[in-house]
Amino acid sequence: MKRIRTLVAMTMLAWLPAAAMADTPAETDQAKFVRLTQHLERYPLDPDATPMRAWLLDWAVKTPDVQVLMCDFLDPAADLRSHYGGLLLMQMLYGNAAWQIVHPGAHTDVVAPQIAGVRSALKAYAEISIERPEAQNAEFDALALAEQRGTLHATLAPRILQQCSKDDAAKTIEGSP
């Protein structure tokens, strides 16, 4: 009798994950975008990051849900042309788009999505600089300090407003219908 109860209990436990999965709705692309962006903030050097970044960029370019305005408001010392700088630049794009997904009614705000992108890149930068001290950068260190002090918005908002309003300095990455 005890053996039958154990067998029944084990059978029920084996079915629980399948039953839970059946009730779980499929993840939307928007939710996946936000989840992957947050994952790359925490694990920017993840060995599996390349396909994640490829999916994020592809979705951001193709979707009509977001419109990322890329403008040059960071100090040239940020050196976004370097390997890690490139990762951080892309993280800024992902953070910007993720902010837009979470705040769908705020598309007229130029500053907030840019700040969100920088914050996303700063999270990734903190992780990268721990694992790769050679990736430390004075501009990102200064931005991280401004974030810690609560002055990041005040520091960047004037630069963003100036640079993102110039038609020749801003490039839009937007989805096509």
Side-chain angles (χ1 to χ4, degrees):
M1 186 63 148
K2 192 174 188 181
R3 191 175 215 196
I4 292 174
R5 282 188 214 168
T6 303
L7 185 58
V8 169
M10 288 175 55
T11 303
M12 289 178 67
L13 286 173
W15 283 88
L16 282 177
M21 293 291 279
D23 293 340
T24 304
E27 182 179 43
T28 65
D29 283 347
Q30 291 86 349
K32 181 178 179 180
F33 192 96
V34 172
R35 178 179 57 80
L36 290 178
T37 297
Q38 291 170 342
H39 176 83
L40 291 173
E41 289 171 356
R42 180 70 181 104
Y43 305 104
L45 301 175
D46 183 336
D48 298 323
T50 300
M52 289 181 218
R53 287 186 177 100
W55 185 88
L56 286 166
L57 182 60
D58 185 59
W59 188 86
V61 169
K62 289 180 179 176
T63 186
D65 297 344
V66 299
Q67 181 177 349
V68 178
L69 182 65
M70 298 294 288
C71 42
D72 190 14
F73 60 86
L74 292 181
D75 188 295
D79 191 20
L80 296 174
R81 294 172 308 220
S82 70
H83 172 70
Y84 297 112
L87 290 178
L88 296 173
L89 176 65
M90 294 311 295
Q91 191 65 41
M92 287 174 57
L93 180 144
Y94 308 145
N96 182 319
W99 184 90
Q100 291 181 50
I101 291 166
V102 174
H103 302 90
H107 289 288
T108 58
D109 190 343
V110 175
V111 175
Q114 298 294 339
I115 299 275
V118 170
R119 285 188 170 125
S120 182
L122 287 173
K123 290 174 186 174
Y125 172 72
E127 297 300 322
I128 291 170
S129 61
I130 289 169
E131 290 187 43
R132 308 278 167 79
E134 71 276 9
Q136 290 183 335
N137 176 287
E139 172 67 4
F140 277 97
D141 288 340
L143 292 171
L145 184 59
E147 175 70 351
Q148 288 174 353
R149 291 180 175 166
T151 60
L152 185 66
H153 188 278
T155 300
L156 291 180
R159 291 193 229 169
I160 291 168
L161 289 171
Q162 180 184 20
Q163 293 298 323
C164 294
S165 64
K166 294 181 181 178
D167 291 338
D168 59 341
K171 295 179 179 84
T172 302
I173 297 175
E174 60 184 289
S176 54

